[in-house]
Amino acid sequence: CALRSMENIIQATPKFDAVFAHNDEMALGAAKALKGKKTIIVGFDGNDEAKKAVENGEITATVAQQPDLMGTTAVENAVKVLKGEKVEKEVPVDLKLIKK
């Protein structure tokens, strides 16, 4: 699906420099469609296949969430709530950029 979608985008808009995919599978599909073209391709998930594609130069990067950090942060904030302490409405957790 991502391969076909990227092929359609290339036909409709042949000139662009980068692709940011919602997930790594989409980034890998885009990479197949763009093989041989100099395009920045970034995925999101940090899965093993994407990490290998980054290492092989097939995609530029992938962004990994950090579930352990997300869990720790959630528990710390839950404890604060239980103690009656104020917790921010949104609590961002750092992501990890995986690139060559």
Side-chain angles (χ1 to χ4, degrees):
C1 184
L3 171 62
R4 193 173 9 182
S5 295
M6 192 72 241
E7 289 170 341
N8 291 337
I9 291 169
I10 293 167
Q11 288 179 6
T13 312
K15 188 173 180 171
F16 55 91
D17 299 319
V19 173
F20 179 79
H22 185 69
N23 59 48
D24 285 336
E25 289 77 17
M26 294 171 124
L28 294 168
K32 286 180 183 175
L34 292 163
K35 192 168 185 127
K37 296 184 184 217
K38 190 170 175 90
T39 307
I40 296 168
I41 304 171
V42 179
F44 195 91
D45 285 335
N47 70 30
D48 290 338
E49 191 176 356
K51 289 177 187 177
K52 185 176 178 181
V54 168
E55 196 59 37
N56 294 337
E58 297 166 26
I59 66 174
T60 310
T62 181
V63 180
Q65 297 185 55
Q66 300 188 76
D68 55 336
L69 183 56
M70 293 166 71
T72 302
T73 302
V75 170
E76 289 170 353
N77 282 301
V79 169
K80 287 181 183 178
V81 168
L82 291 172
K83 290 181 178 179
E85 296 175 19
K86 185 175 178 169
V87 175
E88 294 296 321
K89 183 176 179 179
E90 292 184 26
V91 181
V93 177
D94 290 337
L95 300 171
K96 184 177 179 184
L97 180 64
I98 299 167
K99 60 182 183 169
K100 200 168 190 181

